[in-house]
Each structure stands twice: as structure tokens, then as C-alpha cells.
Amino acid sequence: PDGSAVEETLSEGESNFITFLYFYFLLEGSLYQSSNPGKKVIVIDDPVSSLDSHVLYIVCTLLSKLYEEKILDSNSNFTQLMIFTHNVYFYNEVVNNITRLVKKGDKRKNIFSYFIIRKNNNISTVEYYKYSPVKTTYRMMWDIIKTANEDINQIDKIALLNIMRRILEYYFKTLGNYDNKKIYDNMENEERFICHSLLIIENSQSHSFIDDIVNST
């Protein structure tokens, strides 16, 4: 309020966000004149460190806009966007937002590349993946369900029940704010009884002492 500098009072997250914004808008031009700037690559290293979830969402949105305006635009001087991060949530948000920008039928090959950098004994190795190798826990649980549907013998049946419980609880109770009664009331006839049996058996394996009679068959 008194006009004095505030750099000493900024939190680490605030400083990082201001730095990111400075870099973001600096891409529109340059501090120095250049007769032939040539093609450029944008490299961003973990821009969401120490940021809260609200600011993280803003950064994800800005990166999507950056990709759309700088990389997808054929008239732009920018040829590539490289993003490094340790944050799985941020990674998935950015990947989902950016991949949605690419139009279906786009003939450009290898427009996306995915890498995991691992460091062991002070030596870094880079592993290339054609498709995104990073998945959320929720997505990995669904992959197990799909595997069980193809071949139940590949999955531990006890673990499968617990995975089913976690998926149902997350989808209906955490996201949908549905309790069991509300779920039952939205079903009719045989489906209601099947759903009731499913919820009973998967809960019996996770919220109480394990009953081996249930698994005797």
C-alpha cells in the first residue's frame, strides 16, 4: 500500500508464479533486438513447484494456450515445447489439455513424445515412450478391471474386490455424492439385486475381518 518493494515478503510459490508469468509473456518478444531469431524451442522445468491447486490450474491453462498459439500455429517461430515435471497431477492435466487441441485426422506423425528420466548412482538415463507411460491411480485400477475381464486368472480375486470397492466409492460417493440407498433407488428389478449383492461382497472384504467362507468357491 505504501509503494515499497514486496519481493522480500513473497512466498516461494508466489515468486515461482511471477517468474513463470514473466517467462510466458517474454515469449511474445525479446529484451534484445535480433536480425534473425530463427526457430526456437520452449523449455519449461517444473513450473508448479510450491504452487497451490488454484494457481496450478491457471498454469495448466496457460500452457495449453501456449501450445495452441506457438506450436500448432504454422506461422510461429516456435517448433517445440518441452515440459519437465515431477508432479503427476500437473502432468496429466497438461497432457489431457494439449492432446485435446490436436484435431482428429491430423497427419503429423510423432507430434507428441514422452520420456521418463531416471537417475541411479548419479547417472541419468532417458526412456522414450510412444504413448504416455504415466497414469493416475484411478486409471491403473480400471486397467486391472479390464485385465480381469479378459482373463480372471491373471488377477488376485481378493485384491480385485478391494479395487472394485475403491472405484465405486470414488465414482459414486466422492464425485457423485451418492450413498448406497440412492444408488439402489436409481435401479430397478434384477439390476437392483445384483448391485446390492456386489456392494455387500466387496465391502465385506475391506471394512471387516476377512471371511474365508466368501472365497471358498
Side-chain angles (χ1 to χ4, degrees), residues 81-131:
L81 171 63
M82 299 177 65
I83 301 175
F84 297 83
T85 185
H86 297 89
N87 190 309
V88 175
Y89 174 78
F90 167 72
Y91 168 85
N92 282 296
E93 281 293 308
V94 170
V95 170
N96 291 335
N97 288 345
I98 288 179
T99 52
R100 280 195 291 263
L101 294 173
V102 180
K103 297 179 181 179
K104 291 183 178 180
D106 195 310
K107 295 182 179 180
R108 287 174 291 182
K109 295 182 179 179
N110 302 322
I111 191 170
F112 300 111
S113 295
Y114 306 91
F115 302 88
I116 291 182
I117 302 175
R118 305 183 190 276
K119 194 169 186 177
N120 187 26
N121 295 326
N122 209 31
I123 298 175
S124 296
T125 57
V126 181
E127 301 172 7
Y128 165 76
Y129 294 87
K130 185 176 181 180
Y131 302 101

Side-chain angles (χ1 to χ4, degrees), residues 34-74:
S34 176
S35 58
N36 183 22
K39 298 296 183 179
K40 291 180 276 189
V41 175
I42 304 171
V43 181
I44 299 177
D45 186 6
D46 225 355
V48 295
S49 176
S50 303
L51 300 185
D52 59 36
S53 57
H54 176 66
V55 179
L56 186 149
Y57 175 76
I58 295 175
V59 172
C60 290
T61 303
L62 289 175
L63 286 177
S64 300
K65 184 179 179 181
L66 185 68
Y67 182 78
E68 184 176 21
E69 295 179 352
K70 303 297 185 186
I71 306 302
L72 292 182
D73 186 357
S74 58

Side-chain angles (χ1 to χ4, degrees), residues 179-200:
D179 56 20
N180 287 354
K181 183 179 182 305
K182 196 172 181 180
I183 296 174
Y184 300 146
D185 291 343
N186 280 274
M187 297 185 177
E188 297 179 353
N189 304 325
E190 185 179 2
E191 285 188 351
R192 181 168 182 169
F193 293 106
I194 293 174
C195 177
H196 186 263
S197 299
L198 171 64
L199 294 181
I200 285 178

Side-chain angles (χ1 to χ4, degrees), residues 132-170:
S132 175
V134 181
K135 299 179 181 179
T136 62
T137 302
Y138 186 64
R139 183 175 174 182
M140 287 189 290
M141 288 192 294
W142 269 111
D143 286 343
I144 294 175
I145 298 294
K146 292 178 181 178
T147 301
N149 186 53
E150 296 170 357
D151 185 359
I152 189 63
N153 294 320
Q154 294 187 35
I155 303 298
D156 187 301
K157 297 180 180 63
I158 304 299
L160 180 62
L161 290 171
N162 187 51
I163 291 169
M164 292 167 62
R165 173 188 63 79
R166 293 179 64 187
I167 289 176
L168 292 170
E169 284 186 347
Y170 178 75

